[in-house]
Coordinates of all heavy atoms in Angstrom, one line a residue:
M219 N 25.6 -4.5 0.2 CA 24.7 -4.9 1.3 C 25.1 -4.3 2.6 O 24.3 -4.1 3.4 CB 24.8 -6.5 1.3 CG 23.6 -7.1 2.1 SD 22.0 -6.5 1.6 CE 21.2 -8.0 1.3
K220 N 26.4 -4.0 2.8 CA 26.8 -3.3 4.0 C 26.2 -2.0 4.2 O 25.8 -1.7 5.3 CB 28.4 -3.2 4.0 CG 29.1 -4.4 4.2 CD 30.6 -4.2 4.4 CE 31.4 -5.4 4.6 NZ 32.8 -5.1 4.8
G221 N 25.9 -1.2 3.1 CA 25.3 0.1 3.2 C 23.9 -0.1 3.7 O 23.4 0.7 4.6
S222 N 23.1 -1.1 3.2 CA 21.7 -1.2 3.6 C 21.7 -1.8 5.1 O 20.8 -1.5 5.8 CB 21.0 -2.2 2.7 OG 21.7 -3.2 2.1
S223 N 22.7 -2.6 5.5 CA 22.7 -3.0 6.8 C 22.9 -1.8 7.8 O 22.2 -1.7 8.8 CB 23.8 -4.0 7.1 OG 23.6 -5.2 6.3
A224 N 23.8 -0.9 7.5 CA 24.0 0.3 8.2 C 22.8 1.1 8.3 O 22.4 1.7 9.3 CB 25.2 1.0 7.7
L225 N 22.1 1.3 7.1 CA 20.9 2.0 7.1 C 19.9 1.5 8.0 O 19.2 2.2 8.7 CB 20.4 2.1 5.6 CG 19.2 3.0 5.4 CD1 19.5 4.4 5.7 CD2 18.8 2.9 3.8
L226 N 19.7 0.2 8.0 CA 18.7 -0.5 8.8 C 19.0 -0.3 10.3 O 18.2 0.1 11.1 CB 18.7 -2.0 8.5 CG 17.7 -2.8 9.4 CD1 16.3 -2.4 9.2 CD2 17.8 -4.3 9.0
L227 N 20.3 -0.4 10.6 CA 20.7 -0.2 12.0 C 20.4 1.3 12.5 O 19.9 1.5 13.6 CB 22.1 -0.6 12.3 CG 22.5 -2.0 12.3 CD1 24.0 -2.2 12.3 CD2 21.8 -2.8 13.3
A228 N 20.7 2.2 11.6 CA 20.4 3.6 11.9 C 18.9 3.8 12.0 O 18.5 4.6 13.0 CB 21.0 4.5 10.8
A229 N 18.1 3.2 11.1 CA 16.7 3.4 11.3 C 16.1 2.8 12.6 O 15.3 3.4 13.2 CB 16.0 2.8 10.0
L230 N 16.6 1.6 12.9 CA 16.2 1.0 14.2 C 16.6 1.8 15.4 O 15.9 1.9 16.4 CB 16.7 -0.4 14.2 CG 16.1 -1.4 13.2 CD1 16.8 -2.8 13.3 CD2 14.7 -1.5 13.3
A231 N 17.8 2.4 15.4 CA 18.3 3.2 16.5 C 17.4 4.4 16.7 O 16.9 4.8 17.7 CB 19.7 3.6 16.4
L232 N 17.0 5.0 15.5 CA 16.2 6.3 15.5 C 14.8 5.8 16.0 O 14.2 6.6 16.9 CB 16.1 6.9 14.1 CG 15.2 8.0 14.0 CD1 15.6 9.2 14.8 CD2 15.1 8.5 12.5
L233 N 14.2 4.8 15.6 CA 12.9 4.3 16.0 C 12.9 4.0 17.4 O 11.9 4.2 18.1 CB 12.4 3.2 15.1 CG 12.2 3.7 13.6 CD1 12.0 2.4 12.7 CD2 11.1 4.6 13.6
G234 N 14.0 3.3 17.8 CA 14.0 3.0 19.3 C 14.0 4.2 20.2 O 13.3 4.3 21.2
T235 N 14.7 5.2 19.8 CA 14.8 6.5 20.5 C 13.3 7.1 20.5 O 12.9 7.6 21.6 CB 15.8 7.5 19.9 OG1 17.1 6.8 19.9 CG2 15.8 8.8 20.7
C236 N 12.7 7.1 19.4 CA 11.3 7.7 19.3 C 10.4 7.0 20.2 O 9.6 7.5 20.9 CB 10.8 7.6 17.9 SG 11.7 8.8 16.7
G237 N 10.4 5.6 20.2 CA 9.6 4.8 21.0 C 9.8 5.0 22.4 O 8.9 5.1 23.2
L238 N 11.1 5.1 22.8 CA 11.4 5.4 24.3 C 10.9 6.7 24.7 O 10.4 6.9 25.8 CB 12.9 5.3 24.6 CG 13.5 3.9 24.5 CD1 15.0 4.0 24.5 CD2 13.0 3.0 25.5
A239 N 11.0 7.7 23.9 CA 10.6 9.1 24.1 C 9.1 9.2 24.4 O 8.6 10.0 25.2 CB 11.0 10.0 23.1
T240 N 8.3 8.3 23.7 CA 6.9 8.4 23.8 C 6.3 7.5 24.9 O 5.1 7.5 25.3 CB 6.2 8.1 22.5 OG1 6.5 6.7 22.2 CG2 6.6 9.0 21.4
G241 N 7.2 6.6 25.5 CA 6.7 5.7 26.5 C 6.0 4.5 26.0 O 5.3 3.8 26.7
E242 N 5.9 4.4 24.7 CA 5.2 3.3 23.9 C 5.8 2.0 24.2 O 7.1 1.9 24.5 CB 5.3 3.7 22.5 CG 4.6 2.7 21.6 CD 4.6 3.3 20.2 OE1 5.1 4.3 19.9 OE2 4.0 2.5 19.3
D243 N 5.1 0.9 24.2 CA 5.7 -0.5 24.2 C 6.6 -0.6 23.1 O 6.1 -0.8 22.0 CB 4.5 -1.4 24.3 CG 5.0 -2.8 24.4 OD1 6.2 -3.1 24.7 OD2 4.2 -3.8 24.1
N244 N 7.9 -0.7 23.4 CA 8.8 -0.7 22.3 C 8.7 -2.0 21.5 O 8.9 -2.0 20.2 CB 10.3 -0.7 22.8 CG 10.6 0.7 23.3 OD1 10.1 1.7 22.8 ND2 11.3 0.9 24.4
N245 N 8.5 -3.2 22.1 CA 8.4 -4.3 21.4 C 7.3 -4.4 20.4 O 7.4 -4.8 19.3 CB 8.3 -5.6 22.3 CG 9.6 -6.0 23.0 OD1 10.6 -5.5 22.6 ND2 9.5 -6.8 24.0
E246 N 6.2 -3.9 20.8 CA 4.9 -3.8 20.0 C 5.3 -2.9 18.8 O 4.9 -3.1 17.7 CB 3.8 -3.2 20.7 CG 2.5 -3.3 19.9 CD 1.3 -2.8 20.8 OE1 1.3 -3.1 22.0 OE2 0.4 -2.2 20.2
F247 N 5.9 -1.7 19.1 CA 6.2 -0.7 18.0 C 7.2 -1.3 17.0 O 6.9 -1.3 15.7 CB 6.8 0.5 18.6 CG 7.3 1.5 17.5 CD1 6.4 2.3 16.9 CD2 8.6 1.5 17.1 CE1 6.8 3.2 15.9 CE2 9.0 2.4 16.1 CZ 8.1 3.2 15.5
F248 N 8.2 -2.0 17.5 CA 9.3 -2.6 16.6 C 8.6 -3.7 15.7 O 8.8 -3.8 14.6 CB 10.4 -3.1 17.3 CG 11.5 -2.1 17.8 CD1 11.8 -2.0 19.1 CD2 12.0 -1.3 16.8 CE1 12.8 -1.0 19.5 CE2 12.9 -0.3 17.2 CZ 13.3 -0.2 18.5
M249 N 7.8 -4.6 16.4 CA 7.2 -5.6 15.6 C 6.3 -5.1 14.5 O 6.3 -5.5 13.4 CB 6.5 -6.6 16.5 CG 7.3 -7.5 17.4 SD 8.5 -8.5 16.4 CE 7.3 -9.6 15.6
D250 N 5.5 -4.0 14.8 CA 4.7 -3.5 13.9 C 5.4 -2.8 12.8 O 5.1 -2.9 11.6 CB 3.7 -2.4 14.6 CG 2.6 -2.0 13.7 OD1 2.2 -2.7 12.7 OD2 2.1 -0.8 14.0
F251 N 6.5 -2.0 13.1 CA 7.3 -1.4 12.2 C 8.0 -2.4 11.3 O 7.9 -2.3 10.0 CB 8.3 -0.4 12.8 CG 9.3 0.1 11.8 CD1 9.0 1.2 11.1 CD2 10.6 -0.4 11.8 CE1 9.8 1.8 10.2 CE2 11.5 0.2 10.9 CZ 11.1 1.2 10.1
L252 N 8.6 -3.4 11.9 CA 9.4 -4.3 11.1 C 8.5 -5.2 10.2 O 8.8 -5.4 9.1 CB 10.3 -5.2 12.0 CG 11.4 -4.3 12.7 CD1 12.1 -5.2 13.7 CD2 12.4 -3.8 11.6
Q253 N 7.3 -5.6 10.7 CA 6.4 -6.3 9.9 C 5.9 -5.6 8.7 O 5.9 -6.0 7.6 CB 5.2 -6.8 10.7 CG 4.2 -7.7 9.9 CD 3.0 -8.1 10.7 OE1 2.9 -7.7 12.0 NE2 2.2 -8.8 10.2
T254 N 5.6 -4.3 8.9 CA 5.2 -3.4 7.8 C 6.3 -3.2 6.8 O 6.1 -3.2 5.7 CB 4.7 -2.1 8.4 OG1 3.6 -2.3 9.4 CG2 4.1 -1.3 7.3
L255 N 7.5 -3.0 7.4 CA 8.7 -2.9 6.5 C 8.9 -4.1 5.6 O 9.3 -4.0 4.4 CB 9.9 -2.5 7.4 CG 11.2 -2.0 6.6 CD1 10.9 -0.8 5.9 CD2 12.3 -1.9 7.6
L256 N 8.7 -5.2 6.2 CA 9.0 -6.5 5.5 C 8.0 -6.8 4.5 O 8.2 -7.3 3.4 CB 9.2 -7.7 6.5 CG 10.5 -7.7 7.3 CD1 10.4 -8.7 8.3 CD2 11.7 -8.0 6.3
V257 N 6.7 -6.6 4.8 CA 5.6 -7.0 3.9 C 4.6 -6.0 3.5 O 3.8 -6.2 2.6 CB 4.8 -8.2 4.6 CG1 5.7 -9.4 4.8 CG2 4.1 -7.8 5.9
G258 N 4.7 -4.8 4.0 CA 3.7 -3.7 3.7 C 4.3 -2.8 2.7 O 5.4 -3.0 2.0
S259 N 3.6 -1.7 2.5 CA 4.0 -0.7 1.5 C 4.6 0.6 2.3 O 4.3 0.7 3.5 CB 2.9 -0.2 0.6 OG 1.9 0.5 1.4
P260 N 5.3 1.4 1.7 CA 5.8 2.7 2.3 C 4.6 3.4 2.9 O 4.8 4.0 4.0 CB 6.6 3.4 1.3 CG 7.0 2.3 0.3 CD 5.9 1.4 0.3
E261 N 3.6 3.5 2.2 CA 2.4 4.3 2.6 C 1.8 3.6 3.9 O 1.4 4.4 4.8 CB 1.3 4.4 1.6 CG 1.6 5.1 0.3 CD 2.6 4.3 -0.6 OE1 2.7 3.1 -0.6 OE2 3.3 5.1 -1.4
E262 N 1.8 2.3 4.0 CA 1.4 1.7 5.2 C 2.3 2.0 6.4 O 1.9 2.1 7.6 CB 1.3 0.2 5.0 CG 0.2 -0.2 4.1 CD 0.2 -1.8 3.8 OE1 1.3 -2.2 3.5 OE2 -0.9 -2.3 3.8
L263 N 3.5 2.2 6.2 CA 4.5 2.7 7.3 C 4.1 4.0 7.8 O 4.1 4.2 9.0 CB 6.0 2.7 6.7 CG 6.8 1.4 6.7 CD1 8.1 1.8 5.9 CD2 7.0 0.9 8.0
Y264 N 3.8 5.0 6.9 CA 3.5 6.3 7.3 C 2.1 6.4 7.9 O 1.9 7.2 8.8 CB 3.7 7.3 6.2 CG 5.0 7.2 5.5 CD1 5.1 7.0 4.1 CD2 6.2 7.2 6.2 CE1 6.4 6.9 3.5 CE2 7.4 7.1 5.6 CZ 7.5 6.9 4.2 OH 8.7 6.8 3.6
E265 N 1.2 5.6 7.6 CA -0.1 5.5 8.1 C -0.2 4.7 9.4 O -1.0 5.0 10.3 CB -1.1 5.0 7.1 CG -1.3 5.9 5.9 CD -2.2 5.2 4.8 OE1 -2.6 4.1 5.0 OE2 -2.3 5.8 3.7
G266 N 0.7 3.7 9.5 CA 0.7 2.8 10.7 C 1.7 3.1 11.7 O 1.4 4.2 12.4
P267 N 2.8 2.5 11.8 CA 3.8 2.7 12.9 C 4.4 4.1 13.0 O 4.6 4.5 14.1 CB 4.8 1.7 12.7 CG 4.5 0.9 11.5 CD 3.2 1.4 10.9
L268 N 4.5 4.7 11.8 CA 5.1 6.0 11.8 C 4.1 7.1 11.8 O 4.4 8.3 11.6 CB 6.1 6.2 10.7 CG 7.3 5.2 10.7 CD1 8.1 5.4 9.4 CD2 8.1 5.4 11.9
G269 N 2.8 6.8 11.8 CA 1.8 7.8 11.7 C 1.8 9.0 12.7 O 1.4 10.1 12.3
Q270 N 2.3 8.7 13.8 CA 2.4 9.8 14.8 C 3.6 10.6 14.8 O 3.8 11.6 15.4 CB 2.3 9.2 16.2 CG 3.4 8.3 16.6 CD 3.1 7.7 18.0 OE1 2.3 8.2 18.8 NE2 3.9 6.7 18.3
Y271 N 4.5 10.3 13.8 CA 5.8 11.1 13.7 C 5.7 11.9 12.3 O 5.1 11.6 11.4 CB 7.0 10.2 13.6 CG 7.0 9.3 14.8 CD1 6.7 8.0 14.8 CD2 7.4 9.8 16.0 CE1 6.7 7.2 15.9 CE2 7.5 9.0 17.2 CZ 7.2 7.7 17.1 OH 7.2 6.9 18.2
D272 N 6.5 13.0 12.4 CA 6.6 13.9 11.3 C 7.9 13.4 10.5 O 9.0 13.8 10.9 CB 6.8 15.4 11.7 CG 6.9 16.3 10.5 OD1 6.4 16.0 9.4 OD2 7.4 17.4 10.7
V273 N 7.6 12.6 9.5 CA 8.8 12.0 8.8 C 9.1 12.9 7.6 O 8.3 13.2 6.7 CB 8.4 10.6 8.2 CG1 9.6 10.0 7.5 CG2 7.9 9.7 9.3
N274 N 10.4 13.5 7.7 CA 10.8 14.4 6.7 C 11.1 13.8 5.4 O 11.2 12.5 5.3 CB 11.9 15.3 7.2 CG 13.2 14.6 7.4 OD1 13.5 13.7 6.7 ND2 13.9 15.0 8.4
A275 N 11.4 14.6 4.3 CA 11.6 14.1 3.0 C 12.9 13.2 2.9 O 12.9 12.1 2.2 CB 11.7 15.1 2.0
D276 N 13.9 13.6 3.6 CA 15.2 12.7 3.6 C 14.9 11.4 4.3 O 15.4 10.4 3.8 CB 16.3 13.5 4.3 CG 16.8 14.7 3.5 OD1 16.6 14.7 2.2 OD2 17.3 15.6 4.1
A277 N 14.2 11.4 5.4 CA 13.9 10.1 6.1 C 13.0 9.2 5.2 O 13.2 8.0 5.1 CB 13.3 10.3 7.4
K278 N 12.0 9.8 4.5 CA 11.2 9.1 3.6 C 12.0 8.5 2.5 O 11.8 7.4 2.1 CB 10.1 10.0 3.0 CG 9.0 10.2 4.0 CD 7.9 11.0 3.4 CE 6.8 11.2 4.4 NZ 5.6 11.9 3.8
A279 N 13.0 9.2 1.9 CA 13.9 8.7 0.9 C 14.7 7.5 1.4 O 14.9 6.5 0.7 CB 14.7 9.8 0.4
A280 N 15.2 7.7 2.6 CA 16.0 6.6 3.3 C 15.1 5.4 3.4 O 15.6 4.2 3.2 CB 16.7 7.0 4.5
L281 N 13.9 5.5 3.9 CA 13.0 4.4 4.1 C 12.6 3.8 2.8 O 12.5 2.5 2.7 CB 11.8 4.8 4.9 CG 12.0 5.0 6.4 CD1 10.8 5.7 7.0 CD2 12.3 3.7 7.1
A282 N 12.5 4.6 1.8 CA 12.1 4.0 0.4 C 13.2 3.1 -0.1 O 13.0 2.1 -0.7 CB 11.8 5.1 -0.6
E283 N 14.5 3.6 0.1 CA 15.7 2.8 -0.3 C 15.8 1.5 0.5 O 16.0 0.5 -0.1 CB 17.0 3.7 -0.2 CG 18.1 3.0 -0.7 CD 19.4 3.8 -0.7 OE1 19.2 5.1 -0.6 OE2 20.5 3.3 -0.8
L284 N 15.5 1.6 1.8 CA 15.6 0.4 2.6 C 14.5 -0.5 2.2 O 14.8 -1.7 2.0 CB 15.5 0.8 4.1 CG 15.4 -0.3 5.1 CD1 16.7 -1.2 5.0 CD2 15.2 0.2 6.5
K285 N 13.3 0.0 2.0 CA 12.2 -0.9 1.5 C 12.5 -1.5 0.3 O 12.1 -2.7 0.0 CB 10.9 0.0 1.4 CG 9.7 -0.8 1.1 CD 9.2 -1.7 2.1 CE 7.9 -2.4 1.6 NZ 8.0 -3.8 1.8
S286 N 13.2 -0.8 -0.7 CA 13.6 -1.4 -2.0 C 14.5 -2.5 -1.8 O 14.3 -3.6 -2.5 CB 14.1 -0.3 -2.9 OG 14.6 -0.8 -4.1
C287 N 15.5 -2.4 -0.9 CA 16.4 -3.5 -0.6 C 15.7 -4.7 -0.1 O 16.0 -5.8 -0.5 CB 17.5 -3.0 0.4 SG 18.6 -1.8 -0.3
I288 N 14.8 -4.5 0.8 CA 14.0 -5.6 1.5 C 13.2 -6.2 0.5 O 13.0 -7.5 0.4 CB 13.2 -5.0 2.7 CG1 14.2 -4.7 3.8 CG2 12.2 -6.1 3.1 CD1 13.6 -4.0 5.0
D289 N 12.5 -5.4 -0.4 CA 11.6 -6.1 -1.4 C 12.4 -6.9 -2.4 O 11.7 -7.8 -3.0 CB 10.9 -5.0 -2.2 CG 9.8 -4.3 -1.3 OD1 9.4 -4.9 -0.2 OD2 9.2 -3.2 -1.6
S290 N 13.7 -6.6 -2.6 CA 14.4 -7.5 -3.5 C 15.0 -8.7 -2.9 O 15.6 -9.6 -3.6 CB 15.6 -6.6 -4.1 OG 16.5 -6.4 -3.1
M291 N 14.7 -8.9 -1.6 CA 15.2 -10.2 -1.0 C 14.3 -11.3 -1.3 O 13.1 -11.1 -1.7 CB 15.1 -10.0 0.6 CG 16.0 -9.0 1.2 SD 15.7 -8.7 3.0 CE 16.0 -10.4 3.7
Q292 N 14.8 -12.5 -1.3 CA 14.1 -13.7 -1.6 C 13.1 -13.9 -0.4 O 13.4 -13.7 0.7 CB 14.9 -14.9 -1.7 CG 15.8 -14.8 -2.9 CD 16.6 -16.1 -3.2 OE1 16.3 -17.1 -2.7 NE2 17.6 -16.0 -4.0
P293 N 11.8 -14.4 -0.8 CA 10.8 -14.6 0.3 C 11.3 -15.5 1.4 O 11.0 -15.2 2.6 CB 9.7 -15.3 -0.5 CG 9.8 -14.9 -1.8 CD 11.3 -14.7 -2.1
M294 N 12.1 -16.5 1.2 CA 12.7 -17.4 2.2 C 13.5 -16.5 3.2 O 13.4 -16.7 4.4 CB 13.5 -18.4 1.5 CG 14.3 -19.3 2.6 SD 15.4 -20.5 1.7 CE 16.6 -19.4 1.0
H295 N 14.3 -15.5 2.7 CA 15.1 -14.8 3.6 C 14.3 -13.8 4.5 O 14.6 -13.6 5.7 CB 16.2 -14.0 2.7 CG 17.2 -14.9 2.1 ND1 17.8 -14.6 0.9 CD2 17.7 -16.1 2.5 CE1 18.5 -15.6 0.6 NE2 18.6 -16.5 1.5
K296 N 13.2 -13.3 3.8 CA 12.3 -12.4 4.6 C 11.6 -13.3 5.7 O 11.5 -12.8 6.9 CB 11.2 -11.8 3.7 CG 11.7 -10.7 2.8 CD 10.4 -10.2 2.1 CE 10.7 -9.3 1.0 NZ 9.5 -8.8 0.3
A297 N 11.2 -14.4 5.4 CA 10.6 -15.3 6.5 C 11.6 -15.6 7.5 O 11.2 -15.6 8.8 CB 10.1 -16.6 5.8
E298 N 12.8 -15.9 7.2 CA 13.8 -16.1 8.3 C 14.1 -14.9 9.2 O 14.3 -15.0 10.4 CB 15.1 -16.6 7.6 CG 15.0 -18.1 7.1 CD 14.6 -19.1 8.1 OE1 15.1 -19.0 9.3 OE2 13.7 -19.9 7.8
M299 N 14.1 -13.7 8.5 CA 14.2 -12.5 9.3 C 13.1 -12.3 10.3 O 13.3 -12.0 11.5 CB 14.3 -11.3 8.4 CG 15.6 -11.1 7.7 SD 15.7 -9.5 6.8 CE 15.6 -8.3 8.1
V300 N 11.9 -12.6 9.9 CA 10.7 -12.5 10.7 C 10.8 -13.5 11.9 O 10.6 -13.1 13.0 CB 9.3 -12.8 9.9 CG1 8.2 -12.9 10.9 CG2 9.1 -11.6 9.0
K301 N 11.2 -14.7 11.6 CA 11.4 -15.7 12.6 C 12.4 -15.2 13.7 O 12.2 -15.4 14.8 CB 11.7 -17.0 12.0 CG 10.5 -17.8 11.4 CD 10.9 -19.0 10.6 CE 11.9 -19.9 11.0 NZ 12.1 -21.1 10.2
L302 N 13.5 -14.7 13.2 CA 14.5 -14.3 14.1 C 14.0 -13.1 14.9 O 14.3 -13.1 16.1 CB 15.8 -13.8 13.3 CG 16.9 -13.2 14.1 CD1 17.5 -14.2 15.0 CD2 18.1 -12.7 13.1
L303 N 13.3 -12.2 14.4 CA 12.9 -11.0 15.1 C 11.8 -11.4 16.2 O 11.9 -11.0 17.3 CB 12.2 -10.0 14.2 CG 13.2 -9.3 13.2 CD1 12.4 -8.5 12.2 CD2 14.1 -8.4 14.0
V304 N 11.0 -12.4 15.9 CA 10.1 -12.9 16.8 C 10.8 -13.6 17.9 O 10.4 -13.4 19.2 CB 9.1 -13.9 16.2 CG1 8.3 -14.7 17.1 CG2 8.1 -13.1 15.2
Q305 N 11.8 -14.3 17.6 CA 12.6 -15.0 18.7 C 13.3 -14.1 19.6 O 13.2 -14.2 20.8 CB 13.7 -15.9 18.0 CG 14.5 -16.7 18.9 CD 15.5 -17.5 18.2 OE1 15.7 -17.5 17.0 NE2 16.3 -18.2 19.0
V306 N 13.9 -13.1 19.0 CA 14.6 -12.1 19.8 C 13.7 -11.3 20.7 O 14.0 -11.1 21.9 CB 15.5 -11.1 18.8 CG1 16.1 -10.0 19.7 CG2 16.6 -11.9 18.2
L307 N 12.7 -10.7 20.1 CA 11.7 -9.9 20.8 C 11.1 -10.8 21.9 O 10.7 -10.3 23.0 CB 10.8 -9.2 19.9 CG 11.5 -8.1 19.1 CD1 10.5 -7.6 18.1 CD2 12.0 -7.0 19.9
G308 N 10.7 -12.0 21.6 CA 10.1 -12.9 22.5 C 11.0 -13.2 23.8 O 10.5 -13.3 24.9
S309 N 12.4 -13.3 23.5 CA 13.2 -13.6 24.6 C 13.4 -12.3 25.5 O 13.7 -12.4 26.7 CB 14.6 -14.0 24.0 OG 15.3 -13.0 23.4
E310 N 13.2 -11.2 24.9 CA 13.3 -9.9 25.8 C 12.1 -9.8 26.6 O 12.2 -9.3 27.8 CB 13.4 -8.7 24.8 CG 14.7 -8.5 24.2 CD 14.8 -7.3 23.2 OE1 13.8 -6.6 23.1 OE2 15.8 -7.1 22.7
E311 N 11.0 -10.2 26.2 CA 9.8 -10.3 27.0 C 9.9 -11.2 28.3 O 9.4 -10.8 29.3 CB 8.5 -10.6 26.2 CG 8.1 -9.6 25.2 CD 6.8 -10.0 24.4 OE1 6.3 -11.1 24.7 OE2 6.5 -9.2 23.6
G312 N 10.6 -12.3 28.1 CA 10.7 -13.2 29.1 C 11.8 -12.8 30.2 O 11.9 -13.3 31.3
A313 N 12.7 -11.8 29.8 CA 13.7 -11.4 30.7 C 13.2 -10.5 31.7 O 12.2 -9.9 31.8 CB 14.8 -10.7 29.9

């Protein structure tokens, strides 16, 4: 599980950098990306939040592995992750 946590952190750092570079609303991008990652398909990731980026084969393989780890989580744990993300991103908006 440590490997998938490190992979998630690396993916989030990369996506944060991409979001900052485009001047896009980071909270909106992260919520869309994470929601799609939690409940969508890999294709929905590439058509939706990542649609404006050229995602290479290695990044697609990493996202597929991450998605596989997330898909194997129990629904209760996914729901708790969503609640936590909403709470964290909501507190950043108020700051």
Side-chain angles (χ1 to χ4, degrees):
M219 195 55 126
K220 285 184 180 181
S222 33
S223 296
L225 182 60
L226 178 60
L227 289 174
L230 292 176
L232 175 64
L233 292 168
T235 302
C236 291
L238 288 173
T240 63
E242 177 176 1
D243 179 14
N244 289 327
N245 284 348
E246 184 178 328
F247 175 81
F248 279 126
M249 286 303 292
D250 191 24
F251 173 78
L252 293 171
Q253 179 181 4
T254 306
L255 190 61
L256 287 168
V257 298
S259 69
E261 292 77 23
E262 290 172 318
L263 276 172
Y264 305 129
E265 293 170 2
L268 297 176
Q270 63 184 343
Y271 303 105
D272 181 23
V273 181
N274 67 37
D276 289 336
K278 284 183 178 183
L281 284 168
E283 185 174 340
L284 178 60
K285 180 70 177 129
S286 175
C287 291
I288 289 171
D289 287 347
S290 68
M291 292 173 63
Q292 294 187 15
M294 173 184 66
H295 294 149
K296 285 185 193 181
E298 289 302 316
M299 284 185 67
V300 169
K301 285 172 36 180
L302 176 63
L303 292 168
V304 168
Q305 178 183 4
V306 168
L307 292 174
S309 68
E310 287 179 0
E311 286 178 3

